[in-house]
Amino acid sequence: MKIEEEIRQKPFKDVYTKAMVNLLYTHSYLVSRQSRLFKPYGLSPEQYNVLRILRGKHPDPTTVSSIQDRMLNKMSNASRLVEKLKQKGMVERKECAEDRRQVDITITDKGLETLSRLENEVKLFNKDSIQLSEEEANQLNGLLDKLRG
Amino acid sequence: MKIEEEIRQKPFKDVYTKAMVNLLYTHSYLVSRQSRLFKPYGLSPEQYNVLRILRGKHPDPTTVSSIQDRMLNKMSNASRLVEKLKQKGMVERKECAEDRRQVDITITDKGLETLSRLENEVKLFNKDSIQLSEEEANQLNGLLDKLRG
DNA sequence: CTGTAATAAATGTATATACATTAAATACAA
DNA sequence: TTGTATTTAATGTATATACATTTATTACAG
């Protein structure tokens, strides 16, 4: 459905304002769905993302600041997200030997199992949530990459 | 920059997962910028959006549920956002005569003035934040509308 | 070496999202 | 008309974002 109908608004005067609103609205649509997907696993979308970052380095650890760097939301708070995951037994934390300011985070077996149980479901979910052909999805990726300048 | 570089990740195996991550990342990029834009005016991005909804109906009032309906984030909480705007003197609240369950919200002169001071700046901001040609921005809007099914 | 700057992580606070529950008013079927 | 269901708004709680500040450690200029 066109964005103007979805939020019951009169047509936008300029295409950039419309694109901004459209991006915000589409994001909300996707994240609401994601929350429902992850809920049965006791994870939020951001916690899931942190687990994926950690799996990418496993069995090597990742420092908190390196997690922050790779997070989708740069303004988020890796320190607190890691704490939540630790409470769930999905990550381990230990002081970094070479630089005692840093903290090494490693994903646990439980974390890896949770990711693996989610893997297929997430893949289907992503395809199902994005009602585009592969070619259109590629186009979208190109436009988003360009958009950010 | 390509999304894989921005979050230092290996290439995505499927285009839908890449599009999902790209949308989440681009949203975060835009909202972080928006927060900085609105901050000097004492508004959050969502509060600004609610003010715009109210201006669309002004001088008629809008009920809380109608605001909720038009919000970009359907899971948000119009009731609490209205309360914040009321504390800033930008909206008025009064019981609806025909249906006493409902509450009529009206934007105040102060709210209208704030929007009007922001108008040009926001327009420039949107164009500046979305580094696309008009044609590309139209394409993006089409893809986002289609994506949501 | 010493002191200052820079860096890493944690923490504090305000706002917002996600979702469940409650309270009041209204609609509507029996 | 009465009782049940529905609707509207408010509220409670957990999580996350945005940003400032603090604390500990390391880097590095003098």
Side-chain angles (χ1 to χ4, degrees):
Chain A
M1 202 197 295
K2 292 190 90 175
I3 181 71
E4 288 95 337
E5 299 164 40
E6 303 237 28
I7 59 172
R8 307 179 211 359
Q9 199 196 285
K10 44 181 177 282
F12 289 92
K13 38 195 170 307
D14 91 285
V15 70
Y16 297 104
T17 298
K18 177 169 171 175
M20 178 68 78
V21 170
N22 215 339
L23 281 161
L24 299 181
Y25 182 75
T26 303
H27 171 265
S28 161
Y29 163 82
L30 293 172
V31 170
S32 294
R33 293 182 55 134
Q34 269 196 329
S35 290
R36 288 193 287 277
L37 172 69
F38 292 127
K39 199 166 178 99
Y41 297 85
L43 290 175
S44 70
E46 279 310 320
Q47 289 172 10
Y48 172 76
N49 186 41
V50 170
L51 284 184
R52 278 180 51 94
I53 291 167
L54 291 170
R55 185 178 60 179
K57 295 279 201 154
H58 187 264
D60 291 339
T62 312
T63 64
V64 172
S65 58
S66 173
I67 294 172
Q68 188 90 56
D69 244 23
R70 288 156 209 267
M71 280 176 64
L72 298 180
N73 194 318
K74 301 300 187 207
M75 288 297 105
S76 191
N77 199 315
S79 186
R80 277 190 271 237
L81 287 171
V82 164
E83 172 59 22
K84 291 286 162 64
L85 289 168
K86 189 176 170 231
Q87 281 168 23
K88 297 184 224 280
M90 297 201 185
V91 307
E92 275 170 3
R93 184 157 44 183
K94 71 166 189 291
E95 196 179 75
C96 182
E98 309 92 67
D99 184 341
R100 287 191 308 161
R101 285 173 302 185
Q102 298 188 45
V103 178
D104 277 343
I105 314 295
T106 314
I107 188 169
T108 61
D109 286 347
K110 184 176 173 191
L112 288 169
E113 277 164 32
T114 304
L115 280 187
S116 132
R117 275 192 295 145
L118 266 162
E119 188 132 26
N120 240 323
E121 200 179 346
V122 168
K123 197 172 165 184
L124 291 174
F125 169 85
N126 288 336
K127 182 155 173 43
D128 186 56
S129 301
I130 296 176
Q131 296 279 322
L132 298 177
S133 71
E134 293 216 0
E135 193 189 328
E136 289 168 332
N138 269 321
Q139 255 181 56
L140 176 62
N141 278 316
L143 289 169
L144 292 174
D145 287 347
K146 183 168 183 206
L147 176 164
R148 295 188 304 271
Chain B
M1 201 196 297
K2 293 190 88 176
I3 181 71
E4 287 95 337
E5 298 164 41
E6 303 237 29
I7 59 173
R8 309 178 211 355
Q9 198 195 288
K10 44 181 176 282
F12 289 93
K13 39 196 168 305
D14 91 284
V15 71
Y16 297 104
T17 298
K18 177 169 171 174
M20 177 68 80
V21 169
N22 216 339
L23 281 161
L24 299 181
Y25 183 74
T26 304
H27 171 265
S28 161
Y29 164 81
L30 293 172
V31 169
S32 294
R33 294 182 56 134
Q34 270 196 327
S35 290
R36 288 194 288 276
L37 172 69
F38 292 127
K39 198 168 179 99
Y41 297 85
L43 289 175
S44 70
E46 278 311 321
Q47 288 172 10
Y48 171 76
N49 186 40
V50 170
L51 284 184
R52 279 179 51 93
I53 290 168
L54 291 170
R55 184 177 61 180
K57 294 280 202 155
H58 185 265
D60 291 338
T62 312
T63 64
V64 172
S65 58
S66 172
I67 295 171
Q68 189 90 55
D69 245 23
R70 288 156 210 267
M71 282 176 62
L72 298 180
N73 195 318
K74 302 300 187 207
M75 288 298 104
S76 191
N77 200 315
S79 188
R80 277 190 271 238
L81 286 171
V82 163
E83 172 59 23
K84 290 286 162 62
L85 289 168
K86 190 178 169 228
Q87 282 168 22
K88 297 185 224 280
M90 297 201 185
V91 307
E92 276 169 3
R93 185 156 45 182
K94 69 166 190 291
E95 196 179 75
C96 182
E98 309 92 66
D99 184 341
R100 289 189 308 160
R101 286 172 302 186
Q102 299 189 59
V103 178
D104 276 343
I105 313 296
T106 315
I107 187 168
T108 62
D109 286 348
K110 184 177 176 192
L112 288 169
E113 277 164 31
T114 305
L115 280 188
S116 132
R117 275 192 295 145
L118 266 162
E119 186 132 28
N120 242 324
E121 199 177 348
V122 169
K123 196 172 165 182
L124 292 173
F125 168 85
N126 287 337
K127 181 155 174 44
D128 187 56
S129 302
I130 296 176
Q131 296 279 322
L132 298 177
S133 71
E134 293 216 1
E135 194 189 327
E136 288 167 333
N138 269 321
Q139 255 181 53
L140 176 62
N141 278 317
L143 289 169
L144 292 174
D145 287 347
K146 181 167 183 206
L147 176 165
R148 295 187 305 270

